């Protein structure tokens, strides 16, 4: 029997959440028991050595947990990319779009990222955690960020007539590198129609709030919270991707006619429509995204477990558990995801009546005390759960002050949602201006 192959690309797969996503993709995919389908995980790391180590881990997991008859349904494809180098990002995109073996990519999981913290404000960390362990480990206000960190020079200065501008390091690693990658991969992401559209899945965080993002500082070079800034911008872009007002910019971003496509000889592929875009957060996961001394790391691990045991639904702790939202989005059809969004939307009420909301949902991995995970809609500051601007009749987290809600969170009003969308329009505009400027420089320097 010939198998149809699903291709999922995961960035930053050698450790932490990215490795958890790959391991869980294997299990969730094989549990579907559809012999007619196979899954190819294209995963990126920053070196050949890390790619080989990851391959061994994935193969060992497959052998240990799945019968040999299933193994032919799984393949792994290691790739390398450094997301803070646009040349490296373009090289990977070029390799993939030129590949005659790759008919389409079904999902890209934009996972790789850096926190960029230099440490913790210990006084605040201890007092905050003692005062409210559950919430202050989920929404910490004691991490110390770096201000003004930039990537290495993107291009040799002598190849360009104008000075090569700096790029914010966290902005590029967490967002812009992926943004460029996804744009250049469009020939592989436009091969489905609305029911089997490919998916761009952003890995955000539960933490970012409206005031983490300053529009005047798009790359987060002046803030001491560039991580949260990059994640808030990720939320804004993803949640406004489908809004009519952003389409003039989204249309260019999702065009398959990039300068890379124009200068490469590409295999013939159908061009049926733009991919879908989703955003998810993994909860709080203990990984190396924040670097801590061994003993502090153990104390941190214990505190996140304690937060879960006293009732925090977002303290997922282990990468495999936290990966649930990403694998669900990657392996579920766009139709089913939209149906789940409609169910989330049906919770909005006005005068006691359900109201339809046009907005997208930020999905998150929630967990019970016993470690059972589910994928749940998450509240976004100034957007709410679905951009309805209406109160919620019920919420899965248990009402106004339920455990899944940031303390002091305020229901988004219609005017907040309007401003969120307006901010989305400006953000898409700015991202497209930046993308085009960098594509031009890369073309000139080639
Ligand atoms: N941990 C959490 O609680 C948490 C919560 C919310 C969201 N997240 C998000 O989850 C994602 C994964 O984080 P994690 O916690 O798993 O962190 P992690 O353990 O540090 O893993 C990060 C991964 O990204 C890769 N990476 C970092 N910078 C890169 C670059 N410039 N180019 C290419 N790859 C790069 C790393 O490669 P190297 O090993 O080579 O450095 C590694 O594979 C991030 O987007 C993070 O913001 C994490």
């Amino acid at each position: 029997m010939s198998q149809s192959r699903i291709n999922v690309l995961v960035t930053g797969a050698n450790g932490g959440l990215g490795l958890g996503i790959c391991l869980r993709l294997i299990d969730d995919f094989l549990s579907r028991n559809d012999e007619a389908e196979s899954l190819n995980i294209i995963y990126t790391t920053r070196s050949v050595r890390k790619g080989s180590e990851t391959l061994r881990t994935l193969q060992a997991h497959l052998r240990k947990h799945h019968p040999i008859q299933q193994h032919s349904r799984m393949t792994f494809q290691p790739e390398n990319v450094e997301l803070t180098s646009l040349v490296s990002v373009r090289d990977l995109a070029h390799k993939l779009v030129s590949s005659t073996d790759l008919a389409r990519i079904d999902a890209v999981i934009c996972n790789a990222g850096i926190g960029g913290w230099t440490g913790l404000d210990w006084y605040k960390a201890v007092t905050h955690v003692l005062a409210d362990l559950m919430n202050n480990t989920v929404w910490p206000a004691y991490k110390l960020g770096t201000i003004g960190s930039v990537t290495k020079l993107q291009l040799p200065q002598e190849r360009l007539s104008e000075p090569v501008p700096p790029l914010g390091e966290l902005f590029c690693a967490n967002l812009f590198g992926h943004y460029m990658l996804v744009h250049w991969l469009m020939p592989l992401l436009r091969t489905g129609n609305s029911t089997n559209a490919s998916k761009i899945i952003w890995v955000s965080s539960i933490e970012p709030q409206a005031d983490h993002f300053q529009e005047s500082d798009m790359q987060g070079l002046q803030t001491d919270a560039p991580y949260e800034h990059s994640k808030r911008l990720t939320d804004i872009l993803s949640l406004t991707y489908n809004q009519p007002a952003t389409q003039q910019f989204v249309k260019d971003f999702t065009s398959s006619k990039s300068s890379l496509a124009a200068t490469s000889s590409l295999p013939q592929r159908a061009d049926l429509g733009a991919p879908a875009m989703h955003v998810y957060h993994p909860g709080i996961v203990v990984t190396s995204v924040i670097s801590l001394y061994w003993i502090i790391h153990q104390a941190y691990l214990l505190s996140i477990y304690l937060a879960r045991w006293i009732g925090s639904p977002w303290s997922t702790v282990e990468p495999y558990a936290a990966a649930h939202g990403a694998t669900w989005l990657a392996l579920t059809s766009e139709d089913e995801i939209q149906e789940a969004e409609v169910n989330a939307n049906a919770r909005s009420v006005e005068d006691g009546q359900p109201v339809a909301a046009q907005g997208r949902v930020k999905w998150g991995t929630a967990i019970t005390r016993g470690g059972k995970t589910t994928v749940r809609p998450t509240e976004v500051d100034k957007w709410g759960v679905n951009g309805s601007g209406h109160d919620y009749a019920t919420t899965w987290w248990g009402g106004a002050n339920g455990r899944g809600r940031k303390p002091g969170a305020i229901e988004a009003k219609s005017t907040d949602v309007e401003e969120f969308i307006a901010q989305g329009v400006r953000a898409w505009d700015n991202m497209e201006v930046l993308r085009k400027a960098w594509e031009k420089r890369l073309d000139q320097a080639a």
Side-chain angles (χ1 to χ4, degrees), residues 133-369:
L133 175 101
M134 189 172 85
N135 289 307
N136 287 331
T137 50
V138 175
W139 291 279
Y142 42 80
K143 288 183 292 184
L144 301 173
T146 4
I147 301 177
S149 173
V150 294
T151 66
K152 288 186 190 151
L153 201 62
Q154 293 291 322
L155 293 163
Q157 184 57 72
E158 59 276 14
R159 299 228 196 126
L160 294 174
S161 47
E162 306 276 319
V164 181
L167 258 183
E169 190 185 16
L170 273 90
F171 171 75
C172 197
N174 296 355
L175 177 59
F176 193 57
H178 285 115
Y179 186 91
M180 297 296 277
L181 177 65
V182 166
H183 172 68
W184 284 322
L185 291 178
M186 280 301 159
L188 288 161
L189 295 171
R190 294 184 53 96
T191 60
N193 54 33
S194 58
T195 50
N196 69 344
S198 294
K199 282 163 277 186
I200 303 161
I201 300 162
W202 289 98
V203 178
S204 181
S205 157
I206 193 167
E207 289 177 56
Q209 302 296 308
D211 58 9
H212 281 128
F213 175 64
Q214 300 302 326
E215 276 183 76
S216 56
D217 177 26
M218 184 77 176
Q219 299 191 30
L221 285 168
Q222 286 151 34
T223 169
D224 62 359
Y227 173 82
E228 293 78 2
H229 169 100
S230 71
K231 296 295 179 183
R232 175 71 180 179
L233 181 51
T234 301
D235 290 354
I236 292 172
L237 292 167
S238 318
L239 294 169
T240 59
Y241 174 78
N242 283 36
Q243 290 293 324
T246 60
Q247 292 316 296
Q248 55 182 313
F249 308 111
V250 170
K251 184 172 55 58
D252 282 357
F253 172 67
T254 56
S255 163
S256 55
K257 297 186 177 42
S258 67
S259 59
L260 178 71
T263 52
S264 317
S265 88
L266 304 186
Q268 201 69 34
R269 296 185 182 102
D271 187 354
L272 299 179
M277 187 177 279
H278 296 285
V279 61
Y280 125 95
H281 74 83
I284 304 300
V285 203
V286 180
T287 66
S288 56
V289 74
I290 184 156
S291 145
L292 299 167
Y293 289 116
W294 182 84
I295 187 74
I296 308 285
H297 182 89
Q298 301 309 311
Y300 178 63
L301 178 66
L302 180 64
S303 68
I304 309 297
Y305 268 121
L306 281 174
R308 184 207 284 183
W309 293 329
I310 60 177
S312 162
W314 299 127
S315 302
T316 45
V317 187
E318 303 98 2
Y320 184 91
H324 192 170
T327 57
W328 176 73
L329 285 167
L331 297 176
T332 303
S333 74
E334 189 52 26
D335 273 357
E336 283 175 68
I337 297 171
Q338 283 185 18
E339 202 180 306
E341 289 196 349
V342 169
N343 288 336
N345 288 345
R347 292 170 189 276
S348 301
V349 290
E350 188 178 43
D351 301 330
Q353 297 301 312
V355 286
Q358 41 338 46
R360 303 310 302 247
V361 165
K362 175 175 175 177
W363 296 99
T365 303
I367 195 156
T368 62
R369 288 185 177 88

Side-chain angles (χ1 to χ4, degrees), residues 12 14 17 46 50 82-83 111 204 227 231 283 285 287-288:
N14 53 296
L17 182 66
R46 288 205 263 193
K50 289 181 184 179
E82 167 54 65
L83 284 153
N111 164 75
S204 181
Y227 173 82
K231 296 295 179 183
V285 203
T287 66
S288 56

Side-chain angles (χ1 to χ4, degrees), residues 1-6 29 34-39 69-75:
M1 189 200 321
S2 77
Q3 287 176 332
S4 73
R5 189 172 72 160
I6 297 171
F29 174 75
D34 182 347
E35 297 299 324
E37 279 184 337
S38 66
L39 175 67
Q69 304 86 295
Q70 299 273 39
H71 294 187
S72 63
R73 293 179 59 210
M74 284 297 320
T75 47

Side-chain angles (χ1 to χ4, degrees), residues 94-155:
H94 182 259
K95 183 177 175 192
L96 296 176
V97 291
S98 313
S99 165
T100 46
D101 279 352
L102 206 51
R104 109 186 203 116
I105 294 183
D106 296 83
V108 181
I109 305 180
C110 304
N111 164 75
I114 43 176
W117 300 289
T118 51
L120 303 179
D121 176 332
W122 284 106
Y123 176 74
K124 265 193 185 172
V126 172
T127 51
H128 286 200
V129 169
L130 288 177
D132 183 352
L133 175 101
M134 189 172 85
N135 289 307
N136 287 331
T137 50
V138 175
W139 291 279
Y142 42 80
K143 288 183 292 184
L144 301 173
T146 4
I147 301 177
S149 173
V150 294
T151 66
K152 288 186 190 151
L153 201 62
Q154 293 291 322
L155 293 163

